[in-house]
């Protein structure tokens, strides 16, 4: 890979954005990410993904230089749709994706992080959507996801002023699940991933699907779907293993069967 470094630790795949100085999300970076998602989805030994940035930033946003080669509004709209489709794929990915955020996660960088299932931030991280400073707007679903996490009014303030919030404030407002000192960020994120990777892959996939469905606000339809998936999961070998392990007071060995 040219801009993404990939490694595995146990059953966790770790993606490091490495495009100094700002880890800008160029077309090539996003294509590499799409390819890695495909590979990780097909790999039965990978149960969790962690995404972080190398150097000073998580990602300071899209590669603005690419905008100078786009000539028409239709081309910009197509660029937006491609990014939206990739990030929607991440949101619906059957394996948990955790973003470990330090430094700046701005513009497209924050939109990438918001497409992950879980965000872990450093206390001094800066998260924001400053596109209005450039006379444009967020284009990778930032206007739609940010209000879900911080509320419509706070999201408007963040976008209209272009002012970021700190990692600590992001955790307080629900934009991030955990906040740590920067020197402990990746270590703590990996601890979280290790806890998750021990769970049954089929149960993980079902919970992600149900959590995404809950965002639609269709509560009673969600309950029906939960009951349906509960029945399907209960018939799996992993469910039988989990129950037996509990009765025998031992750790379960989930195989995805």
């Amino acid at each position: 890979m040219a801009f993404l470094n990939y490694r595995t630790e146990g059953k966790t795949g770790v993606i490091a954005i490495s495009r100094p100085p700002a880890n800008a999300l160029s077309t090539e970076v996003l294509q590499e990410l799409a390819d890695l998602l495909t590979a990780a989805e097909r790999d039965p030994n990978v149960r969790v993904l962690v995404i972080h940035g190398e150097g000073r930033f998580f990602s300071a946003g899209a590669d603005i230089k690419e905008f100078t080669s786009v000539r028409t509004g239709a081309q910009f709209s197509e660029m937006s749709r491609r990014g939206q489709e990739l990030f929607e794929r991440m949101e619906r990915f059957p394996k948990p994706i955790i973003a470990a955020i330090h430094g700046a996660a701005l513009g497209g960088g924050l939109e990438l992080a918001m497409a992950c299932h879980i965000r872990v931030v450093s206390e001094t991280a800066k998260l924001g959507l400053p596109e209005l400073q450039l006379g444009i707007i967020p284009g990778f679903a930032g206007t739609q996801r940010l209000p879900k996490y911080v509320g419509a009014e706070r999201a408007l303030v963040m976008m209209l002023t272009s002012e970021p919030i700190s990692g600590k404030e992001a955790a307080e407002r629900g934009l991030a699940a955990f906040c740590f000192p920067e020197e402990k960020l990746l270590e703590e994120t990996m601890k979280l991933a290790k806890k998750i990777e021990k769970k049954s892959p089929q149960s993980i996939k079902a919970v992600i699907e149900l959590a995404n469905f809950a965002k639609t606000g269709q509560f009673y339809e969600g309950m029906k779907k939960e009951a349906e998936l509960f029945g399907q999961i209960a018939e799996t070998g992993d469910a039988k293993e989990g129950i037996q392990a509990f009765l025998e007071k031992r750790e379960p060995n989930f195989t995805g069967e």
Side-chain angles (χ1 to χ4, degrees):
M1 294 291 177
F3 300 118
L4 299 181
N5 296 322
Y6 181 72
R7 69 182 192 277
T8 57
E9 294 188 20
K11 293 181 171 60
T12 296
V14 182
I15 299 172
I17 306 170
S18 181
R19 190 170 186 251
N23 290 337
L25 302 178
S26 64
T27 300
E28 290 83 358
V29 172
L30 295 179
Q31 184 57 57
E32 284 184 35
L33 178 57
D35 293 342
L36 276 177
L37 290 176
T38 298
E41 185 171 7
R42 292 173 178 171
D43 188 347
N45 294 316
V46 172
R47 296 186 181 179
V48 185
L49 287 176
V50 169
I51 299 178
H52 71 101
E54 293 185 345
R56 295 171 52 210
F57 302 114
F58 176 76
S59 172
D63 188 345
I64 304 302
K65 292 180 181 178
E66 289 191 346
F67 290 8
T68 61
S69 63
V70 181
R71 302 302 180 190
T72 68
Q75 290 174 322
F76 276 110
S77 291
E78 179 59 27
M79 176 189 295
S80 174
R81 282 191 289 268
R82 287 198 302 269
Q84 289 173 350
E85 288 170 1
L86 173 59
F87 291 173
E88 182 178 4
R89 180 186 175 193
M90 291 175 61
E91 193 170 48
R92 297 184 181 280
F93 200 68
K95 304 177 183 184
I97 305 176
I98 307 172
I101 303 167
H102 78 290
L106 301 174
L110 179 56
E111 289 172 308
L112 168 64
M114 288 193 293
C116 297
H117 301 111
I118 301 170
R119 282 154 299 284
V120 183
V121 296
S122 71
E123 295 170 340
T124 56
K126 298 296 181 183
L127 297 83
L129 297 177
E131 283 85 351
L132 269 67
Q133 285 185 329
L134 303 176
I136 58 175
I137 64 173
F140 291 163
T143 63
Q144 303 304 296
R145 286 196 176 94
L146 187 60
K148 292 180 180 180
Y149 291 115
V150 302
E153 187 173 6
R154 181 56 183 169
L156 268 176
V157 170
M158 288 176 65
M159 290 185 284
L160 293 175
T161 65
S162 298
E163 294 178 355
I165 60 175
S166 69
K168 183 178 179 181
E169 187 175 358
E172 291 171 348
R173 292 185 172 275
L175 183 54
F178 301 101
C179 182
F180 297 103
E182 184 170 329
E183 64 271 15
K184 294 186 177 180
L185 177 67
L186 196 53
E187 175 188 351
E188 294 295 336
T189 302
M190 292 303 296
K191 286 181 181 178
L192 175 62
K194 293 300 178 184
K195 289 180 181 179
I196 295 172
E197 73 174 29
K198 295 178 181 178
K199 305 298 188 294
S200 165
Q202 295 181 80
S203 296
I204 288 173
K205 180 180 178 180
V207 165
I208 290 173
E209 182 178 347
L210 289 166
N212 280 327
F213 193 89
K215 296 176 184 178
T216 68
Q218 301 178 62
F219 182 78
Y220 294 105
E221 290 300 316
M223 287 199 301
K224 291 178 183 178
K225 193 167 189 64
E226 179 185 81
E228 175 188 340
L229 289 177
F230 183 87
Q232 293 176 13
I233 295 298
E235 291 183 330
T236 65
D238 274 352
K240 295 178 175 63
E241 162 64 11
I243 293 170
Q244 191 64 33
F246 176 81
L247 295 174
E248 295 174 359
K249 295 181 172 56
R250 61 175 173 82
E251 287 293 318
N253 178 27
F254 295 125
T255 62
E257 298 289 325

